[in-house]
Amino acid sequence: QEPMTYFLFPPEVKKAQVRMIGVQVAVLCGAAIMMRDQPAGKFIPAFLAFDYASRLIGGGKVSLIGNSAAVLGPAVFKTKAVEEGNPKQFASLCGLMFSGLATACHASGNPDAGVMVTGALMCAASLEGVFDYCLGCTFYGLGLQMGLI
């Protein structure tokens, strides 16, 4: 039986692509933190929120970062392995919440809080990109065990 999917998110995702998305998000978060006093530092979290929202709904095929990761990921991470899609979709929801909160902090005139939230997102994305550890997937598993998901 096919696993249940929500929206247009694929039932399986390519590990190399997911890891490259993590690298790209971590780099963009680092750039946002370094440019915190410039307009780009406030724009990058908004772009990430939009990209996470599009990835949450349609997977990597409708995301700018996902599309570039589809090209770069297999070249950098030499694996053809696939992973279940539902935990990765939940991780995209987590990324949307963090980048959306960072955007809201910047928009409300609290850039220090925005930088802290962006830093937390950078840490989670780095775990995925560098160490192949999905923090959102861990929380997805805990939610399943507790009957919340």
Side-chain angles (χ1 to χ4, degrees):
Q1 177 181 350
E2 288 274 326
M4 186 172 164
T5 59
Y6 300 96
F7 306 113
L8 303 172
F9 202 88
E12 292 182 331
V13 293
K14 297 175 183 165
K15 183 180 281 228
Q17 184 177 2
V18 170
R19 289 191 67 192
M20 183 52 69
I21 288 171
V23 169
Q24 290 174 318
V25 169
V27 168
L28 285 170
C29 287
I33 291 168
M34 289 189 304
M35 296 187 288
R36 65 185 287 173
D37 296 326
Q38 299 170 12
K42 297 163 183 61
F43 169 76
I44 292 171
F47 167 74
L48 287 172
F50 172 78
D51 196 77
Y52 271 115
S54 62
R55 214 170 325 127
L56 173 68
I57 294 169
K61 291 183 179 179
V62 297
S63 153
L64 257 131
I65 293 174
N67 273 309
S68 62
V71 174
L72 298 172
V76 175
F77 303 105
K78 307 289 185 191
T79 180
K80 294 183 189 272
V82 294
E83 298 175 311
E84 184 184 349
N86 287 346
K88 298 300 182 181
Q89 187 177 27
F90 182 80
S92 291
L93 174 63
C94 295
L96 172 60
M97 291 188 299
F98 273 82
S99 55
L101 180 59
T103 301
C105 289
H106 283 291
S108 66
N110 194 347
D112 292 338
V115 166
M116 290 191 311
V117 174
T118 302
L121 178 59
M122 183 174 75
C123 291
S126 296
L127 286 172
E128 176 71 60
V130 177
F131 300 109
D132 192 22
Y133 178 76
C134 177
L135 192 57
C137 299
T138 300
F139 284 106
Y140 178 83
L142 290 172
L144 282 177
Q145 288 176 353
M146 295 168 55
L148 299 173
I149 298 176

